[in-house]
Amino acid sequence: PHPRGRPARPLRPAASPSSPGRPPRRPVAAMFRRALKRTAKFGVLGGGIVGGVKVAHMSINDDLDDISYAFKRRMYGLSKKAGEKKKVVVLGSGWGALSFVRKLDPSLYQVTVVSPRPFFFYTPLLVGSTTGVVSPGAIIEPIRDNVPECDFLRVACRDVDLEKRRVFCDGEIELDYDHLLVAVGAQPSTFGIPGVQEYGRFLKEVEHGRAIRKEMLDLIERADVAYAAGKMDQVKKLLNIVVVGGGPTGVEFCGEVSDFIHQDLTIRYPKIAEHFKVTLVEALPGLLTMFHKSVGQYVQDHLANQRVDIKLNAMVKQVDKEQVHLKMKSGEVSNMDYGILVWVAGVGMRPFTKAMCDKIGKENGQTDRRGLLVDECLRVKGTKAGEVFAIGDCAVSGKPPTAQVAYQQGKYLGRLFRMGKQHEITDPGAEAFKYNHQGSMAYIGQGEAAAELDPNAMIKLGRSSITDHMWWRSLYGEADQLRVMGFAGFAIWRSVYFSKLFS
Amino acid sequence: PHPRGRPARPLRPAASPSSPGRPPRRPVAAMFRRALKRTAKFGVLGGGIVGGVKVAHMSINDDLDDISYAFKRRMYGLSKKAGEKKKVVVLGSGWGALSFVRKLDPSLYQVTVVSPRPFFFYTPLLVGSTTGVVSPGAIIEPIRDNVPECDFLRVACRDVDLEKRRVFCDGEIELDYDHLLVAVGAQPSTFGIPGVQEYGRFLKEVEHGRAIRKEMLDLIERADVAYAAGKMDQVKKLLNIVVVGGGPTGVEFCGEVSDFIHQDLTIRYPKIAEHFKVTLVEALPGLLTMFHKSVGQYVQDHLANQRVDIKLNAMVKQVDKEQVHLKMKSGEVSNMDYGILVWVAGVGMRPFTKAMCDKIGKENGQTDRRGLLVDECLRVKGTKAGEVFAIGDCAVSGKPPTAQVAYQQGKYLGRLFRMGKQHEITDPGAEAFKYNHQGSMAYIGQGEAAAELDPNAMIKLGRSSITDHMWWRSLYGEADQLRVMGFAGFAIWRSVYFSKLFS
């Protein structure tokens, strides 16, 4: 085919210092402009040099390390043969384990993830799954999809031989390691109160959320039948939801349930909706005690407005099939009927964590009943430096047991491993983990959330017809597509930053 | 405001019989045209009269009765006061019960639906839920949403007093009725074979699909661990799926599982995928015996190609924790290891159906072990005419126990009730139910389905890059938006008709 003819490009008219119609340039302004240009040039150059140095010496607490690492890999051609790779065994599949594994370089380490739960799940939305706001399947991500370059075994780890560097798991699985990361999390604790294990419902895993949802729907149907049979006593008993624990999970659960009552139950079960009753029991004198006091007070008022009965200073003494037995701080004793008892009062050590604590022994520094004591580089105290690490809820590091902490610890440790400075892992003077607290937030129903972005600062986010009660969830679900920023202002603006690493 | 001025409408130019540029009309052609016009006019008029008469006298087996009924309601102003309404109690929440209730007019009847299952579910997609092709939540529709004008009680019905016209349900619920519809369906039957109840998995309800899926995933994870521990015997044992029953459910399950193996397992669990084994056990000498023989043969070859081991003429004698004990028709006896045993060999009466059969008694005509015998108007034999009806899998009417039959029976009965001819229900000579068989179809894996649209005619629908294996499901899921009709031809074209009422 013939080449298409192109019209010749017209030449630009020669620059004229003072075109007609333009005011002539003033010499002072021109000098200023020239100076500005030069400064800008040097500024960019200087910034480039400083930035380059910064990238080359990226801190292991810095979140931009991927740039630095890509640079290093290119420079030094980091890679090892299969036989030369160090073996890393990771116990757990939660926030800590996954953020660690994602930072590791599969060309340097042979990684095996071991966990009885074959998926990661997005803990902040667990409470929503109890009322059907979010489908359990939507908050799950299989480990095999998430980190396909790692081996995964769906077993629980039972024991460890710290001398031989070997872990023993169910199914007669034995794994040798060079480095072991313990990130098994915590488990719900009954604090030894009789009846809780048998009759209480925990809310820690995806199955728990599903079970609570199923049982609540069952209660409602049974209450509906009891209503039809004219047994009002039974209706009231069945529709008694008792929540024990005034922390974020308990408060969020109350919020979700009251949403569920007002939004769903009144439509589908209008006859019995009014008999629904939610009681929140807390042993301490306030709610959300890890937040500032004003937050707890605000949440308390808000939940009370939604007809949640809040019992503070109330200790659960015993649970039987029909009733919860309470003892108030004042000494008063009372019983409460319940249809379902949701136990979110606290967590304790998993059996493996406990076994490991005992194995290392109090004489070697494992003296804490809450978990494995670690040093400032997250190395388990009493073990050979650089061999065994613990992060997240199973570790006692002086940080709160939240997803945010576990996530940052995992990333920090992953960087420590992959920065190529192998000695740093064992070096007693390695750069310590720095926690960057980005705020806390809890959904409390009716389109409101309690958010604490800075100690002593509480922002109340009100309901509005545009944002509705979905805005808060949208932070988690679609943080990248958040479109309400201009409207809901500062709180959401900041929220975007920690939308993915919130406890 | 001022009225806007309109330009005067120009007059049409007077018609000229022979405009310049047009050929002059020929008299013969003009006559023919005129005759045609007249015929068309009379044809439309005649059709209108015939159609009007037809609509006014719509048959109760006719699917266009909504037009007729809307007309009647308008003409006669059908409606009754709350106290005058006849009480209709419907037992069940499946195809039959729902298609009946939807046809009823809530202004004429006070309807109470009673079922232990508070939702209708789309049975043809149940098998797909076992491998995660379809989410169980997606095939469920709550009864309360579906027929909001009816009362619903989530209880099982236990007994009936035919004299007092009263049913007795769990939760001390007693309901009086004027008309009772029994549409409780059937339940899986073990045929008394020892071990099936304890170790077998049924596939009849939504929970069954969920349980099978969960157990299969568990088996795979356990096999993966066994593989890592080097126990190949255990890997092979765990990955043995034994399906008992070569009917549509068994065949579809084999198809779905082999899809699952080829499409998912080979990617996520490449090491163990090849050890997966599916065995289909059938006591009869062929598969899908309700279809034409050629269909069964085709399906058999197709499944064998997908490495499904088909054992025909094989009776299950016993099931224990580890093995299935088979006896071939030839007398040969063999044992088979299994990881999961899916029992889809057949169905039997539910306890209520059995109790009702016994109550009416053999002396009054209830002599069938499969369910309640009904007459041609679906009235239960041995009861007062027009009081008790039975449809679907719990009724023995000479029709196959399929969703298609139940659906049509429900609609027929609904019309019988709402056509306003109250006497017809009790009249021994009421118009009988006519079954309109619209074909049978079963998905058999790898993008193929066996469809029988007419006895002796089997259409094989092959795989193609456009339709892929989803086309079959699209018939169910999005029948109204079907876009593959032009391509896959006659079979799909016809399929659209019965896409919503297929067994």
Side-chain angles (χ1 to χ4, degrees):
Chain A
H2 304 277
R4 288 193 198 169
R6 264 197 212 179
R9 204 171 169 189
L11 287 169
R12 275 228 162 123
S16 62
S18 59
S19 312
R22 280 195 202 167
R25 287 182 181 174
R26 277 189 297 159
V28 179
M31 272 175 67
F32 178 71
R33 214 176 291 122
R34 244 172 282 142
L36 202 70
K37 270 186 191 169
R38 260 177 230 157
T39 316
K41 266 184 203 166
F42 283 112
V44 169
L45 189 66
I49 292 166
V50 170
V53 171
K54 170 86 177 125
V55 165
H57 293 86
M58 189 63 71
S59 153
I60 53 170
N61 276 300
D62 204 313
D63 235 354
L64 293 170
D65 64 307
D66 283 334
I67 304 164
S68 154
Y69 190 68
F71 178 74
K72 276 195 180 167
R73 275 198 77 169
R74 217 179 181 83
M75 290 286 283
Y76 308 121
L78 298 172
S79 181
K80 283 182 180 173
K81 282 178 200 159
E84 292 170 359
K85 287 182 186 176
K86 293 277 185 188
K87 285 176 190 158
V88 178
V89 171
V90 179
L91 309 180
S93 55
W95 285 98
L98 235 78
S99 65
F100 170 74
V101 171
R102 276 185 183 153
K103 282 283 175 198
L104 281 191
D105 186 343
S107 64
L108 293 178
Y109 295 100
Q110 185 195 324
V111 186
T112 308
V113 180
V114 176
S115 171
R117 193 182 69 200
F119 52 84
F120 167 78
F121 84 100
Y122 198 73
T123 47
L125 290 182
L126 175 62
V127 177
S129 77
T130 56
T131 57
V133 164
V134 62
S135 156
I139 58 173
I140 278 174
E141 198 175 356
I143 300 292
R144 284 190 178 77
D145 294 0
N146 211 311
V147 283
E149 68 281 357
C150 301
D151 285 330
F152 176 77
L153 287 168
R154 198 213 55 173
V155 279
C157 191
R158 295 297 170 199
D159 201 5
V160 59
D161 187 330
L162 295 165
E163 291 305 311
K164 291 186 183 163
R165 293 190 298 193
R166 184 174 291 171
V167 289
F168 303 91
C169 310
D170 286 344
E172 296 172 36
I173 295 282
E174 296 185 16
L175 296 167
D176 292 332
Y177 65 81
D178 294 304
H179 304 288
L180 176 69
L181 176 67
V182 185
V184 296
Q187 67 183 20
S189 173
T190 66
F191 305 112
I193 297 165
V196 175
Q197 191 74 45
E198 293 93 310
Y199 305 112
R201 295 270 169 212
F202 300 127
L203 183 47
K204 184 91 174 64
E205 301 288 339
V206 173
E207 304 87 76
H208 296 157
R210 223 192 280 266
I212 288 176
R213 176 157 182 246
K214 206 175 164 188
E215 188 161 336
M216 285 215 297
L217 293 179
D218 185 59
L219 284 177
I220 293 162
E221 293 289 1
R222 279 161 63 200
D224 188 57
V225 170
Y227 183 90
K231 300 177 200 163
M232 289 311 294
D233 286 357
Q234 214 181 325
V235 172
K236 282 178 187 166
K237 185 194 168 310
L238 286 168
L239 297 181
N240 249 327
I241 296 194
V242 176
V243 183
V244 182
T249 311
V251 162
E252 288 203 339
F253 181 70
C254 289
E256 292 283 2
V257 168
S258 72
D259 277 8
F260 176 64
I261 296 169
H262 297 128
Q263 290 165 17
D264 297 290
L265 222 63
T266 46
I267 295 162
R268 283 204 189 157
Y269 305 83
K271 295 173 208 155
I272 57 166
E274 61 172 312
H275 300 292
F276 228 94
K277 195 183 166 197
V278 183
T279 309
L280 178 58
V281 176
E282 167 61 53
L284 296 174
L287 300 179
L288 294 179
T289 44
M290 63 291 292
F291 285 66
H292 185 257
K293 215 179 167 185
S294 62
V295 179
Q297 190 54 52
Y298 177 77
V299 169
Q300 201 174 320
D301 296 345
H302 179 83
L303 290 179
N305 275 341
Q306 292 172 71
R307 297 199 294 130
V308 175
D309 186 13
I310 299 169
K311 288 190 191 298
L312 299 174
N313 295 312
M315 295 278 291
V316 173
K317 283 291 160 197
Q318 197 187 330
V319 180
D320 58 36
K321 209 186 166 189
E322 309 261 311
Q323 288 192 314
V324 192
H325 301 268
L326 296 180
K327 189 179 178 186
M328 311 303 282
K329 213 176 181 181
S330 59
E332 194 192 331
V333 173
S334 67
N335 299 337
M336 248 197 309
D337 282 346
Y338 68 87
I340 182 171
L341 177 78
V342 177
W343 187 266
V344 286
V347 293
M349 272 198 270
R350 286 197 190 276
F352 176 79
T353 319
K354 207 172 155 61
M356 199 163 165
C357 279
D358 293 346
K359 185 148 259 177
I360 299 168
K362 282 183 183 167
E363 64 282 11
N364 291 315
Q366 289 301 339
T367 53
D368 204 293
R369 281 179 56 225
R370 291 169 298 163
L372 287 160
L373 275 164
V374 294
D375 68 9
E376 69 285 355
C377 291
L378 309 176
R379 296 176 286 219
V380 174
K381 284 183 182 170
T383 63
K384 216 170 152 191
E387 274 183 12
V388 186
F389 300 82
I391 57 175
D393 292 6
C394 66
V396 179
S397 64
K399 306 288 176 299
T402 65
Q404 201 177 148
V405 168
Y407 180 68
Q408 290 187 24
Q409 285 178 334
K411 284 204 294 184
Y412 157 82
L413 213 59
R415 285 186 210 112
L416 203 67
F417 270 69
R418 81 171 197 184
M419 288 297 265
K421 300 177 191 168
Q422 195 65 34
H423 63 279
E424 270 210 2
I425 305 176
T426 48
D427 182 8
E431 193 177 343
F433 167 65
K434 282 193 196 107
Y435 175 55
N436 174 21
H437 184 65
Q438 302 190 303
S440 308
M441 198 155 72
Y443 180 68
I444 54 175
Q446 296 283 306
E448 293 204 10
E452 190 176 68
L453 307 173
D454 209 54
N456 306 328
M458 190 273 289
I459 285 97
K460 178 215 145 178
L461 299 157
R463 187 192 187 80
S464 86
S465 58
I466 297 174
T467 56
D468 207 334
H469 75 286
M470 290 309 291
W471 82 259
W472 179 82
R473 282 162 200 149
S474 75
L475 287 184
Y476 288 114
E478 302 172 305
D480 297 337
Q481 297 144 44
L482 199 65
R483 289 282 176 279
V484 284
M485 291 205 297
F487 182 80
F490 175 67
I492 302 188
W493 176 256
R494 277 300 302 270
S495 304
V496 175
Y497 289 104
F498 60 90
S499 67
K500 281 182 179 168
L501 39 109
F502 168 74
S503 72
Chain B
H2 304 276
R4 288 190 199 170
R6 263 197 213 181
R9 205 172 168 188
L11 286 168
R12 276 224 162 129
S16 62
S18 59
S19 313
R22 278 195 203 166
R25 286 180 182 175
R26 276 191 296 160
V28 178
M31 271 176 68
F32 178 70
R33 213 176 291 122
R34 245 174 281 143
L36 203 69
K37 269 185 192 169
R38 259 177 230 158
T39 316
K41 266 184 203 167
F42 282 112
V44 168
L45 189 67
I49 291 166
V50 170
V53 171
K54 170 89 178 121
V55 164
H57 293 86
M58 189 64 70
S59 153
I60 53 171
N61 276 300
D62 204 313
D63 235 354
L64 294 170
D65 64 305
D66 283 335
I67 304 164
S68 154
Y69 189 68
F71 178 74
K72 276 195 179 166
R73 275 196 79 169
R74 217 180 181 82
M75 289 285 283
Y76 308 121
L78 298 172
S79 181
K80 283 183 181 173
K81 282 178 199 159
E84 292 170 359
K85 288 182 186 177
K86 293 276 183 188
K87 285 176 190 160
V88 178
V89 171
V90 179
L91 309 180
S93 55
W95 285 98
L98 236 78
S99 65
F100 170 74
V101 171
R102 276 185 183 153
K103 282 282 175 198
L104 280 192
D105 186 343
S107 64
L108 293 179
Y109 295 100
Q110 185 195 325
V111 186
T112 308
V113 181
V114 176
S115 171
R117 194 182 68 200
F119 52 83
F120 167 79
F121 84 100
Y122 198 72
T123 47
L125 290 182
L126 175 61
V127 177
S129 76
T130 57
T131 56
V133 164
V134 62
S135 156
I139 58 173
I140 278 173
E141 198 175 357
I143 299 291
R144 284 190 178 76
D145 294 0
N146 210 312
V147 282
E149 68 281 356
C150 301
D151 285 330
F152 176 78
L153 287 168
R154 199 213 55 174
V155 279
C157 192
R158 294 298 170 200
D159 201 5
V160 59
D161 187 330
L162 295 165
E163 290 305 312
K164 291 186 182 162
R165 292 189 299 191
R166 184 175 291 171
V167 289
F168 304 91
C169 310
D170 286 344
E172 296 173 36
I173 295 282
E174 296 184 15
L175 296 167
D176 292 332
Y177 64 80
D178 294 303
H179 304 288
L180 176 69
L181 176 67
V182 185
V184 297
Q187 67 183 21
S189 173
T190 66
F191 305 111
I193 297 166
V196 175
Q197 191 74 45
E198 293 94 309
Y199 305 112
R201 295 271 169 211
F202 300 126
L203 183 47
K204 184 90 174 65
E205 300 288 340
V206 173
E207 304 87 76
H208 296 156
R210 223 192 280 266
I212 288 176
R213 176 157 183 245
K214 206 175 164 188
E215 188 161 336
M216 285 216 298
L217 292 178
D218 185 60
L219 284 177
I220 293 162
E221 293 288 0
R222 279 161 63 201
D224 188 57
V225 170
Y227 183 91
K231 300 177 200 160
M232 289 311 294
D233 286 357
Q234 214 181 325
V235 172
K236 282 178 187 164
K237 185 194 168 310
L238 285 167
L239 296 182
N240 249 327
I241 295 193
V242 176
V243 183
V244 183
T249 311
V251 162
E252 289 204 338
F253 182 69
C254 289
E256 292 283 2
V257 168
S258 72
D259 277 8
F260 176 64
I261 296 170
H262 297 128
Q263 290 165 17
D264 297 290
L265 222 63
T266 46
I267 295 162
R268 283 204 189 158
Y269 305 83
K271 296 173 207 154
I272 57 166
E274 60 172 314
H275 300 292
F276 228 94
K277 195 183 166 199
V278 183
T279 309
L280 178 58
V281 177
E282 167 60 53
L284 295 175
L287 300 179
L288 294 179
T289 43
M290 63 291 293
F291 285 66
H292 185 256
K293 215 180 168 185
S294 62
V295 179
Q297 190 55 51
Y298 177 78
V299 169
Q300 201 175 320
D301 296 345
H302 179 84
L303 290 179
N305 275 342
Q306 291 172 72
R307 298 200 293 130
V308 174
D309 186 13
I310 299 169
K311 287 189 192 298
L312 299 175
N313 294 312
M315 294 278 291
V316 173
K317 282 292 161 197
Q318 197 188 331
V319 180
D320 58 36
K321 209 186 167 189
E322 309 261 312
Q323 288 191 315
V324 192
H325 301 269
L326 296 180
K327 190 180 177 185
M328 311 303 282
K329 212 176 180 180
S330 59
E332 195 191 331
V333 173
S334 67
N335 299 337
M336 248 197 310
D337 282 346
Y338 69 87
I340 182 170
L341 176 78
V342 176
W343 187 266
V344 286
V347 292
M349 271 198 270
R350 287 197 190 277
F352 176 78
T353 319
K354 207 172 155 61
M356 200 162 163
C357 279
D358 293 346
K359 185 147 260 178
I360 298 169
K362 282 183 185 167
E363 64 281 12
N364 291 316
Q366 290 301 337
T367 53
D368 204 293
R369 281 179 56 225
R370 292 169 297 162
L372 287 160
L373 275 164
V374 293
D375 68 9
E376 69 285 354
C377 291
L378 310 175
R379 296 176 285 218
V380 174
K381 285 184 182 170
T383 63
K384 216 170 152 190
E387 274 183 11
V388 186
F389 300 82
I391 57 175
D393 292 6
C394 66
V396 179
S397 64
K399 306 286 175 300
T402 65
Q404 202 177 146
V405 168
Y407 181 68
Q408 290 187 24
Q409 286 178 333
K411 285 205 293 185
Y412 157 82
L413 212 59
R415 284 186 211 112
L416 202 66
F417 270 68
R418 82 171 197 183
M419 288 296 266
K421 299 178 193 167
Q422 195 65 35
H423 63 280
E424 271 212 1
I425 305 175
T426 48
D427 182 7
E431 193 177 344
F433 168 64
K434 281 194 197 106
Y435 176 54
N436 174 22
H437 184 64
Q438 303 190 304
S440 308
M441 199 155 71
Y443 180 68
I444 54 175
Q446 296 284 307
E448 293 204 10
E452 190 176 68
L453 307 173
D454 209 55
N456 306 327
M458 191 271 290
I459 285 95
K460 179 215 146 179
L461 298 158
R463 188 192 187 80
S464 85
S465 58
I466 297 174
T467 57
D468 207 334
H469 75 287
M470 290 309 291
W471 82 258
W472 179 82
R473 282 162 201 149
S474 75
L475 288 185
Y476 287 115
E478 302 172 306
D480 297 337
Q481 297 145 45
L482 199 65
R483 289 283 175 278
V484 283
M485 291 205 299
F487 182 80
F490 176 67
I492 302 187
W493 177 256
R494 278 300 301 270
S495 305
V496 175
Y497 289 103
F498 60 89
S499 67
K500 281 182 179 168
L501 39 110
F502 168 73
S503 72

